């Protein structure tokens, strides 16, 4: 695999304790605890915001799509500069600042509700601003993990973080649905604001190595914005492994965002679920994701990481069960489909993150991750608008079918690339 040569002195072990179980790393323990708090709050927000839109403002499918687009627009607008900032400034400080900023923005919703001035435009603005903070946080977080634990332990760390995320996703939606049912959605968001404060507190406990990632850059390497962005684009677009993974992710995010924009309208208005039932049904998918993340390491050891990457994409076909859900016993089809589909997606996600992190020099990790997010997640606003437009034109169930069928196309870039026949040994020497 062709990558930019590693700079002198940028060794994987820089400022990292000797290799061992990643859970014994004190800094990673704090990072994991902060991630758990943050993910719980985020899952509550992801349930509460659409419920405010659907139950309080009675939005149309297209307006619901616009809300999803607002939540994800930041990946398109600042996705590439975020990678430069993550490589130029201390990543831990970016994480803490993003947590504090997101908490304050979210706090404005329950305050506005208490004062009786909450509006749909306010909801859109909050979704947009929180999205900006999320972009900065996610890019810096993904790039900070190898710096914190060492590149030899990055796959194990990614697995642990994925398990924490899906554990939060398993309990978060159910808790959010019940809280919304009894506290109303705006005041449920107080939990999200508090979770970001807890995350920032844990991150502040990590003993940083005291240097910027730029310290590992080659002497004389330009520090201007555009050359740094070009370096991130080059390593993704020219690399025979990173490029198909990026294209695969773009297909996934386009159609998944369209699906998620329609989900609350489909489940609440057409299926007739309560807020609590809505949250419980979403938890089924999260439990599948948790199981998939836990099973990923033994599956990779048995079949190889690259083969697991290929096969897991083909195993997402149970998503096609979702449009067949209906009031009564057929509601269970939605739970089964998300349980199996998200489980397979989690296996793919852990393997592709590990491959990405190992394929890139440390001083380019921020820009590589930001470019990957830009390519993969930059399409999400269009996905939200696509789902909303299809729902308005053809009905929610038909639009849901189109979006979920589109997810299966994600396997095409992987199976048409060199990853189709590559083994783990080939990956190591590519």
């Amino acid at each position: 695999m062709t990558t930019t040569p590693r700079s002198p002195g940028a060794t994987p072990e820089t400022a990292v304790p000797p290799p061992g179980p990643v859970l014994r790393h004190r800094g990673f323990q704090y990072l994991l605890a902060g991630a758990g708090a943050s993910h719980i709050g985020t899952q509550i927000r992801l349930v509460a915001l659409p419920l405010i839109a659907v139950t309080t403002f009675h939005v149309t499918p297209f307006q619901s799509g616009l809300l999803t687009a607002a939540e994800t627009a930041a990946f398109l607008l600042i996705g590439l500069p975020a990678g430069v900032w993550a490589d130029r400034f201390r990543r831990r400080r970016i994480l803490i600042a993003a947590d504090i900023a997101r908490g304050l923005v979210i706090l404005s919703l329950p305050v506005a509700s208490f004062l009786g001035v909450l509006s749909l435009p306010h909801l859109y603005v909050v979704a947009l601003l929180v999205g900006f903070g999320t972009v900065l946080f996610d890019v810096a977080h993904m790039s900070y993990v190898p710096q914190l634990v060492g590149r030899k332990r990055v796959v194990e760390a990614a697995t642990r973080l994925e398990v924490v995320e899906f554990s939060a996703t398993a309990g978060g939606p159910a808790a959010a649905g019940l809280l919304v049912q009894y506290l109303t959605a705006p005041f449920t968001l107080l939990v999200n604001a508090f979770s970001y404060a807890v995350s920032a507190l844990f991150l502040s406990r990590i003993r940083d190595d005291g240097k910027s990632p730029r310290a590992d850059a080659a002497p004389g390497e330009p520090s201007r914005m555009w050359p740094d962005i070009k370096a991130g684009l080059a390593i993704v677009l020219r690399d025979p492994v990173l490029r198909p993974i990026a294209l695969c992710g773009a297909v996934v995010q386009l159609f998944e965002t369209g699906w998620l924009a329609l989900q609350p309208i489909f489940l609440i208005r057409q299926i007739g679920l309560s807020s609590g039932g809505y949250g419980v049904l979403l938890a089924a998918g999260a439990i599948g994701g948790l199981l998939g993340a836990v099973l990923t390491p033994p599956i990779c050891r048995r079949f190889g990481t690259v083969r697991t990457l290929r096969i897991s994409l083909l195993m997402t076909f149970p998503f096609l069960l979702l449009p067949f859900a209906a009031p009564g016993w057929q509601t269970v089809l939605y739970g089964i489909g998300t349980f199996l589909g998200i489980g397979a997606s989690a296996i793919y996600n852990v393997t592709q993150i590990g491959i990405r992190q190992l394929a890139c020099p440390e001083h380019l990790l921020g820009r590589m991750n930001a470019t990957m997010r830009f390519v993969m997640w930059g399409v999400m606003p269009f996905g939200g608008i696509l789902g909303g437009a299809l729902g308005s034109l053809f009905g929610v169930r038909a639009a849901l079918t189109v979006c979920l069928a589109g997810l299966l196309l994600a396997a095409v870039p992987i199976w048409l690339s060199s990853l189709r026949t590559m083994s783990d040994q080939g990956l190591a020497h590519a």
Side-chain angles (χ1 to χ4, degrees):
M1 173 171 48
T2 304
T3 58
T4 303
R6 191 181 305 282
S7 303
T11 60
E13 295 79 20
T14 302
V16 175
V22 74
L23 286 179
R24 293 182 183 176
H25 189 297
R26 179 59 61 87
F28 184 72
Q29 292 172 1
Y30 286 128
L31 188 74
L32 204 61
S38 177
H39 286 314
I40 290 172
T42 296
Q43 290 305 314
I44 288 174
R45 186 189 80 244
L46 291 176
V47 171
L49 277 185
L51 287 180
I52 294 174
V54 172
T55 61
T56 302
F57 298 109
H58 308 288
V59 295
T60 65
F62 187 71
Q63 288 174 318
S64 180
L66 287 179
L67 179 62
T68 302
E71 288 181 293
T72 56
F75 289 99
L76 180 64
L77 298 176
I78 65 164
L80 293 176
V84 178
W85 297 327
D87 283 341
R88 192 177 288 182
F89 304 109
R90 293 176 181 173
R91 292 162 182 160
R92 186 176 66 103
R93 294 184 181 180
I94 295 176
L95 297 175
I96 295 171
D99 266 340
I100 294 172
R102 289 187 294 176
L104 292 174
V105 170
I106 286 292
L107 194 59
S108 72
L109 288 174
V111 170
S113 179
F114 179 76
L115 297 175
V117 294
L118 183 62
S119 65
L120 186 58
H122 185 182
L123 207 63
Y124 286 141
V125 171
V126 167
L128 181 66
L129 293 179
V130 170
F132 278 98
T134 298
V135 170
L136 291 172
F137 186 93
D138 286 356
V139 171
H141 190 273
M142 189 172 292
S143 307
Y144 186 53
V145 171
Q147 178 185 339
L148 182 67
V149 305
R151 296 164 71 86
K152 292 181 180 179
R153 294 185 290 187
V154 71
V155 174
E156 182 188 357
T159 300
R160 300 294 182 183
L161 287 165
E162 196 81 355
V163 168
V164 166
E165 179 175 356
F166 278 111
S167 297
T169 309
L178 294 173
L179 287 171
V180 168
Q181 197 163 320
Y182 294 106
L183 295 180
T184 73
F187 291 101
T188 298
L189 290 169
L190 288 170
V191 179
N192 185 202
F194 177 73
S195 75
Y196 287 140
V198 173
S199 175
L201 179 62
F202 278 120
L203 289 167
S204 70
R205 300 282 295 173
I206 299 174
R207 292 184 179 179
D208 208 348
D209 61 6
K211 66 176 182 177
S212 163
R214 296 290 307 180
D216 287 335
E221 184 180 346
S223 59
R224 296 164 306 191
M225 179 69 72
W226 179 238
D228 282 353
I229 288 176
K230 284 177 63 178
L233 286 169
I235 196 170
V236 171
L237 299 181
R238 295 175 184 173
D239 193 285
V241 171
L242 295 177
R243 184 175 59 250
I245 290 176
L247 293 175
C248 171
V251 175
V252 168
Q253 296 301 338
L254 177 69
F255 290 106
E256 185 178 88
T257 308
W259 155 38
L260 295 178
L262 299 165
Q263 181 172 255
I265 295 178
F266 180 71
L267 292 178
I268 292 175
R269 291 186 186 166
Q270 296 201 2
I271 305 298
L273 293 180
S274 65
S275 296
Y278 175 78
V280 169
L281 192 59
L282 296 192
I287 293 171
L290 173 61
L291 183 61
V294 171
L295 291 176
T296 300
I299 291 175
C300 287
R301 286 193 294 268
R302 174 65 179 84
F303 298 103
T305 303
V306 180
R307 183 181 298 177
T308 301
L309 183 85
R310 294 192 297 260
I311 300 301
S312 59
L313 281 170
L314 301 179
M315 299 305 294
T316 60
F317 67 87
F319 279 131
L320 296 178
L321 290 174
L322 272 59
F324 293 98
W329 71 267
Q330 286 178 270
T331 303
V332 74
L333 295 176
Y334 204 96
I336 294 171
T338 53
F339 176 85
L340 296 174
I342 294 178
S345 298
I347 295 173
Y348 171 78
N349 198 44
V350 171
T351 53
Q352 65 94 7
I353 287 175
I355 290 172
R356 282 164 49 185
Q357 303 292 64
L358 295 173
C360 180
E362 185 172 339
H363 69 284
L364 284 171
L365 279 173
R367 281 162 284 179
M368 181 276 291
N369 285 322
T371 302
M372 295 291 284
R373 286 294 176 98
F374 176 77
V375 174
M376 294 191 294
W377 292 33
V379 302
M380 291 172 73
F382 304 107
I385 293 172
L386 173 67
L390 289 174
S392 296
L393 291 173
F394 305 109
V396 174
R397 191 181 298 272
L400 200 65
T401 303
V402 171
C403 291
L404 293 166
L407 286 176
L408 299 181
L409 297 175
V412 173
I414 298 295
W415 281 87
L416 291 182
S417 72
S418 58
L419 286 167
R420 178 174 59 87
T421 56
M422 187 177 290
S423 65
D424 286 9
Q425 290 77 17
L427 178 65
H429 295 91

